[in-house]
Amino acid sequence: TKQAGSDRTITLKANKNVIMDTNGLSSTSSKLNVIFWTDSDATNGGGVLLDGSASGYLLDTNGGHLAIGGGTSPTTSNSLTIP
């Protein structure tokens, strides 16, 4: 949980998959941009699994952006470099 400071970006990058369980990511003070970048080496594919529960939010960006992508050719969207 991000609890203080200005807007921030977190990038979760993997050669294959990004998997999140019930711990999640959140911000209570300012925007948190979240980037899930899978298959960053562009071999064997990859994916994102968000395995949350009905009792709480797995992601709370507090108004930040969420981007999910993969491969080695990044692009820019909403001032974020994303795969």
Side-chain angles (χ1 to χ4, degrees):
T1 300
K2 180 184 168 312
Q3 297 177 338
S6 59
D7 296 353
R8 297 281 187 233
T9 299
I10 183 169
T11 301
L12 303 172
K13 182 178 178 180
N15 289 340
K16 190 136 177 85
N17 301 313
V18 174
I19 300 172
M20 288 188 61
D21 61 15
T22 56
N23 292 323
L25 293 169
S26 65
S27 176
T28 59
S29 66
S30 57
K31 294 178 182 178
L32 178 63
N33 300 308
V34 178
I35 300 170
F36 293 106
W37 186 341
T38 65
D39 190 27
S40 61
D41 60 0
T43 60
N44 299 324
V48 175
L49 174 63
L50 304 176
D51 193 15
S53 67
S55 63
Y57 294 112
L58 187 60
L59 292 172
D60 184 351
T61 65
N62 201 28
H65 298 287
L66 172 64
I68 301 173
T72 58
S73 300
T75 187
T76 301
S77 176
N78 294 312
S79 301
L80 300 176
T81 299
I82 59 173

